[in-house]
Structure formats: C-alpha cells, structure tokens
Amino acid sequence: MEGLFFNVNNGYIEGIVRGYRNGLLTGQNYSNLTQCETIDDLKLQLGPAYGDFLASLPPNPSTSTLAAKTTDKLIAEFRYLKANAVGSLAKFMDYLTYGYMIDNVALLITGTLHERDTRELLERCHPLGWFETMPVLCVATNIEELYNSVLIETPLAPYFKGSLSHQDLDELNIEIVRNTLYKNYLEDFYHFVNTDSDMANTPTSEVMSEILEFEADRRAINITLNSFGTELSKADRKKLYPSFGRLYPEGSLMLSRADDIEGVRLAVDGVNDYKTYFDATGMGQNSGPGAGNMSGGPGGEGKSLEDMFYQKEMEISKGAFTRQFTYAIVYAWVKLREQEIRNITWIAECIAQNQKERIGNYISVF
Amino acid sequence: MSGAGDREAVFPTRQSLGLMKSKLKGAQVGHDLLKRKSEALTKRFREITRRIDEAKRKMGRVMQIAAFSLAEVTYAVGGDIGYQVQESAKSARFRVRTKQENVSGVILPAFESYTTEGNNDFGLTGLGRGGQQIQRCRETYARAVETLVELASLQTAFVILDEVIKVVNRRVNAIEHVIIPRTENTIKYINSELDELDREEFYRLKKVANKKQRDTAAQDAEIAAKKAAASKVDSDKENESSAPDILGDQEDNDVIF
C-alpha cells in the first residue's frame, strides 16, 4: 500500500538519490585511488566523481581542503534534495540535519563558555547543521542568554528542555551536554519514524529503526568504552544511553555497570552481531590491545571495533537501497557519502604522509 | 718576528725583564689551560652534535607517527575537534623545567620535561566516537613534544657551546700568536738592550781603564823623568865634588890579593 502514492510526492527525490548512490566510488575506484603517488594523481582519479568541485583546487592541495571540497559536493546535493522535498520527507530531512546541528550548537556553547567571539566559529560549523537563526546565537554573551536563545530559535529546543538547564551548560562537560542532546535526538528521531502517519509501518520505519537502533547501540558502547579512566560516573554515564536499541534495556543496564572491556563484552553478549565484533577485535580476551584501535595501529592488528561499526553502518546503509518507497535511502546515502569522504581523506593522508602500508584501511561496500 | 715594533712599551730594565719573564710564564700556563678547556668543550660539542643528529631523526619519525595518528582521529571522529580541545585545555599537563649543567666552567641549561598526573582536561572529547583515537593521538603527541624538548635543550647547549668555544679559541689563538710572541719579543728586546748597555759599560770601563793606565803611565813617566832629572843634578853635583864616599853606598872593589 505504501508504494501506491509514494511517487506522487517523493518519486523524484528517490530517483535522484538512487542516481547519487550510483555515483559513489566503487571498490575498483578505491583500488585505483590507492595506487596514486601524489595528491594530484588522486585528484585526477577523483575527476569523474568530483570534477567540478575539485577543479578550483591548487596543485597538491592539503588533505583538509580536499575533504572540505568533497564535503561541499555532499552539501550541494543535499540542499538540492532538500529544496525538492515536501511534506514528511522534508521533515525527515530536517531530522537528518539535527545531528549536525547538535555539534554546531555544542561548538557555540564551548565558544560562549570561554568568552570567545562566536562569530568566528560560524565558519567552523558543519554546513549540514546550519540553520537560519544560527547567527542569532552569536549575539548571546553569557550562557543564560545563549540557553534562552537556543530554546527559542533552534529546532533543538525539545532536546534541551527537560534534561538540561542553563546551569548544566555551565557546569557539565560539553561532551556530556552534547551526548545528552544526541541521546534525546536519537530517541526523538526514533519516535518520529515510528509514529509519523506517513512513515509508520512502512519500509521507512523498518529500515530507519534498524539504522537508529544500531546508532544508539554504537553510541552506548562507545561512550562506555571511552569513559573508562575518566571522571564520568556510572550514574551519569547511564543517562547518556539512548532508551531504545537492541541492547536496551538489559544490555544498557549491564553497560552502565561495566568497569572494563570485559564488562562491556558481557553486556553485548546478548546481541550476536556485537558479540562477533568483540570476538573479532580480540577485545573478548583481557589481553586486548585496547578499544577502538584503528587496524594496524600500534599494538592492534586486524580491524578495530570502530572499523567494525563503520563497516556495519555502511552495510545497513547499502541494504537500505534494496528497499523501495522509503525515505531511509536519503539517510543511507548521506551516511555512505560521509564514509566516502572519510575514505578519500584517509587515502589522501596516507599518500601525503607516505604511509602506504595502511592505505587499505578504508571501508568500501560497493 | 715582526721586528722591534711588536713589543710592549717598557723600559729595558732588569725589573721589567723579570716582569716580562713571569708574564711569559703566565701566558704559557694560561695557554695550556685554555687549550685543554677548548678541547674538552669541543669534545662535548661533538657529542652534542651527534645527539642532535639522532634527536632530529627521531623527531622526524615521531612527528610522522603523530601526524598520522591525527589523521586517524580525523577519520574516526569525522570532524574537527581542534576547537573543542583548545577550549577545554585549562592547565598544562606537560611541563618543562630547567636545570643547569656545568661543562668546564660553561653553564649549559638543560630542559627536562615532566607530566602532571591526573590532569586530563579533554578526557571526554570524542565520547560518542573516536575517544580512544583521541587519547592515543594525545599520547603520541606528548611523545613528540618530549622529543622536541630534548632537541631544544640540545640545540641551546649547541649554540652556547659554539659561542664559548669560539671565545676560548680566540683567546688561545690570541695568547699563542700575539701575547707570547710579543712578550718574547719584549724579553729579547730588553735582553738586547741590556747587552748593549753591558757592552757600552764594558767599553766605557775599558776606556776609563785605558785612560787611567795612560794617565798613570804618563804620571809614572813624569815622576821617572823628574827623578831622573833630580838624580842627574845630584850626580853632577857629586861629580863636581868628586869626592867618592868610601863609606858610601858604593861597594868597594873587592881587594884581591
């Protein structure tokens, strides 16, 4: 049924996104990229995919400008899609940008807390998370004003309200603020895709639930692993876990009690996928080289947990394209594209720094 | 030898000769000591140069690893964490103190790095993703900074030692090529002047002696002449009197029978 009227409003966008998806770099492209000797070669190889955007780069550009230019393409395409989206798809795409918005607001909060000129920060903000009233936030000179204007001016207000007060912004570590916001955002997004009349019980809610559940679990596991050895208390940590996902509630509870990697492994034992990752990365044994190592990093061989997560995310995203009449492909496409940019940056870094032995560390699913 | 011009302006006296001699001795001892100091410093200098070379190579490697770990962070976090790290760093975790080292009288500052424990300002950065990479990257960069500090202390020592060695060598050369020859020259000059004086004195004495001799001779001659004249008058008188004194001092001819 859901397919009956889908194309009336969203057929064009779906077509475009599928077209974009075909423009993503394939394994063949990547192996060509890894053969490059210089950044200029790399630029040449990227020509078909990124031609217009890379044309203005000077010879031998830095990797960061390369990354910026490739991001520009993503932004341009995303904006085009957004301009053509109507109804619930437009709302869905708004939701997509909230994640970046959280990062931007966190950046501005950091700036305001340290009494910097926040206007300079605007250009550092992620363009996907840009919203029209963002410059207004720069007017605020103290944290209370900022808190009020965030509540009034941004779509993020619901995430602040109820869980953070303006004193919290002052006292809590910005990372905790960010992760609290992100948790609220994920929950809200999850709620949205499962209750919106256009999306409930459609492939969209199915695929998006899978993606978001995975994202929630990933954050929970990462937060747990990264908080070992920091001042983050277990109670505070528990508040950062999203209240859905495949680990929720038993896994989350066990995560909140975990003291070491072994504890995390026990917590995720119930979910086969994550258990496999932990076993594969050798973190099941206590002799593990430490969480989150990149593959080939000092002391770590094979893939790291983060790599595994990225890989899984890409596979879910790739899988999303097997479904039709769903908004999830937009989300999946953005994620695939981001990974592609990371891959390009990684390869460019490897070439620039002459560290060819680890150049194959990118994640390619096509 | 640059001739008589290159000497100190002294009066050629025995006293200044003594002064000069002790000065020469002092200069030679000083020269020896300075030479030894310069050698010790040069030895140290060579060692430092070698260590700088090593440290620089090490720095190259460490910085490469560090830059690469930053690339890893960029990959894992997927964004810019620079600003956040900048803002959340409140107090220095990695500190440097200096101590002094004495190498043959030259004071070389040596930097020593240490980390203050329990100072983890951005421990929560990348909590959502990439936190491990960030912590590792920080450790890598801490090692890189350590190498830089080591290199900095070596370089400072290098510069200071270079300066000092130059000064010492200049002194050694000055003593060797200017002061010692000049003192030697002066001594030689004084000696020659003194010899000259000696010779003059001798000649003068000789002259005086000659003169005296001549004078004495003349006087003697005069006296002799006077005597002779007087005795002539006497004998004339005696001859005139022609009365030989039998009891006089003339010996009587032995009477031979």
Side-chain angles (χ1 to χ4, degrees), chain A residues 258-274:
Chain A
D259 281 315
D260 49 18
I261 292 171
E262 185 64 18
V264 180
R265 197 185 65 85
L266 283 175
V268 301
D269 249 3
V271 183
N272 200 32
D273 278 345
Y274 308 146

Side-chain angles (χ1 to χ4, degrees), chain A residues 252-263:
Chain A
S252 301
L253 191 67
M254 286 172 78
L255 275 183
S256 70
R257 291 180 181 163
D259 281 315
D260 49 18
I261 292 171
E262 185 64 18

Side-chain angles (χ1 to χ4, degrees), chain B residues 182-232:
Chain B
R182 194 157 67 174
T183 321
E184 277 171 347
N185 260 357
T186 318
I187 290 172
K188 209 179 270 168
Y189 159 75
I190 294 175
N191 272 338
S192 71
E193 286 295 293
L194 284 180
D195 282 357
E196 184 81 17
L197 278 180
D198 272 356
R199 271 199 300 280
E200 248 171 44
E201 189 70 13
F202 183 64
Y203 182 74
R204 195 167 60 90
L205 285 178
K206 226 161 109 184
K207 253 316 200 234
V208 170
N210 273 345
K211 197 118 178 175
K212 266 194 179 153
Q213 220 171 3
R214 209 181 55 206
D215 285 357
T216 332
Q219 244 170 2
D220 283 355
E222 210 177 317
I223 291 169
K226 264 186 194 160
K227 261 190 188 158
S231 65
K232 206 174 177 181

Side-chain angles (χ1 to χ4, degrees), chain A residues 13 74 94 117 135 137 147 171 206 208 210 222-223 249-250 256 294 296 304 330 345 366:
Chain A
I13 303 252
L74 168 64
D94 279 341
D117 187 3
L137 297 186
Y147 183 74
E171 287 157 12
E206 263 175 60
M208 280 315 291
E210 190 191 357
N222 269 336
I223 287 172
E250 299 87 2
S256 70
M294 299 277 296
S304 76
V330 179
T345 319
F366 292 109

Side-chain angles (χ1 to χ4, degrees), chain A residues 4-239:
Chain A
L4 198 53
F5 299 111
F6 184 86
N7 282 345
V8 175
N9 287 325
N10 307 311
Y12 176 66
I13 303 252
E14 189 183 354
I16 293 282
V17 172
R18 283 180 191 278
Y20 285 157
R21 173 227 173 278
N22 284 339
L24 291 170
L25 297 177
T26 63
Q28 178 64 40
N29 289 129
Y30 278 122
S31 61
N32 282 345
L33 291 182
T34 55
Q35 302 301 315
C36 292
E37 291 293 323
T38 63
I39 302 282
D40 276 340
D41 288 353
L42 189 78
K43 206 172 115 187
L44 202 67
Q45 287 288 340
L46 287 174
Y50 286 94
D52 308 343
F53 290 88
L54 298 183
S56 61
L57 283 179
N60 272 323
S62 73
T63 48
S64 52
T65 50
L66 197 67
K69 289 291 173 191
T70 44
T71 314
D72 281 351
K73 190 186 177 199
L74 168 64
I75 309 299
E77 289 173 355
F78 187 83
R79 289 206 175 126
Y80 178 72
L81 290 184
K82 193 135 181 280
N84 283 292
V86 288
S88 52
L89 179 56
K91 189 109 192 288
F92 179 85
M93 290 181 77
D94 279 341
Y95 264 98
L96 195 46
T97 61
Y98 290 168
Y100 304 95
M101 243 178 244
I102 290 174
D103 281 346
N104 289 350
V105 171
L107 191 68
L108 291 180
I109 292 176
T110 318
T112 315
L113 270 180
H114 293 92
E115 292 166 358
R116 298 298 151 96
D117 187 3
T118 40
R119 271 170 210 87
E120 290 166 14
L121 292 178
L122 285 180
E123 47 199 76
R124 286 167 174 265
C125 288
H126 198 289
L128 272 189
W130 183 272
F131 47 94
E132 266 178 23
T133 51
M134 202 159 75
V136 179
L137 297 186
C138 294
V139 178
T141 49
N142 61 38
I143 208 72
E144 198 175 339
E145 277 177 41
L146 183 74
Y147 183 74
N148 287 333
S149 42
V150 165
L151 278 186
I152 297 166
E153 306 283 353
T154 71
L156 301 178
Y159 308 147
F160 276 91
K161 212 170 68 187
S163 54
L164 292 165
S165 68
H166 66 86
Q167 282 101 346
D168 286 345
L169 289 192
D170 226 346
E171 287 157 12
L172 290 176
N173 189 304
I174 186 65
E175 273 298 314
I176 299 176
V177 173
R178 184 206 302 266
N179 283 292
T180 313
L181 291 178
Y182 212 90
K183 168 204 174 230
N184 292 339
Y185 156 69
L186 281 179
E187 285 169 1
D188 188 34
F189 200 176
Y190 189 71
H191 178 74
F192 170 68
V193 294
N194 280 306
T195 52
D196 191 85
S197 58
D198 280 342
M199 279 181 275
N201 304 318
T202 62
T204 307
S205 68
E206 263 175 60
V207 178
M208 280 315 291
S209 294
E210 190 191 357
I211 294 178
L212 290 173
E213 277 170 10
F214 170 73
E215 181 68 29
D217 292 343
R218 175 163 83 163
R219 285 196 88 82
I221 294 174
N222 269 336
I223 287 172
T224 316
L225 287 178
N226 290 335
S227 68
F228 294 148
T230 62
E231 67 264 35
L232 190 63
S233 71
K234 283 183 186 169
D236 287 340
R237 196 166 76 196
K238 190 160 186 275
K239 285 187 202 149

Side-chain angles (χ1 to χ4, degrees), chain B residues 95-183:
Chain B
R95 292 160 195 239
V96 174
R97 60 177 151 229
T98 57
K99 53 179 188 178
Q100 289 183 331
E101 204 184 335
N102 198 332
V103 180
S104 354
V106 184
I107 290 168
L108 298 178
F111 301 114
E112 201 183 356
S113 54
Y114 65 102
T115 48
T116 46
E117 289 309 317
N119 185 349
N120 204 349
D121 275 344
F122 50 97
L124 287 176
T125 308
L127 192 60
R129 53 160 74 145
Q132 306 288 331
Q133 274 85 351
I134 292 173
Q135 295 309 320
R136 248 207 7 241
C137 178
R138 186 174 75 161
E139 276 157 33
T140 325
Y141 266 97
R143 275 207 297 283
V145 176
E146 236 166 72
T147 321
L148 282 182
V149 169
E150 193 190 328
L151 189 61
S153 106
L154 285 176
Q155 286 277 23
T156 323
F158 181 85
V159 171
I160 293 175
L161 268 186
D162 188 47
E163 191 75 9
V164 171
I165 286 177
K166 250 186 229 158
V167 169
V168 170
N169 277 345
R170 200 181 301 144
R171 280 188 194 152
V172 169
N173 287 339
I175 291 179
E176 190 178 340
H177 296 293
V178 178
I179 296 189
I180 291 183
R182 194 157 67 174
T183 321

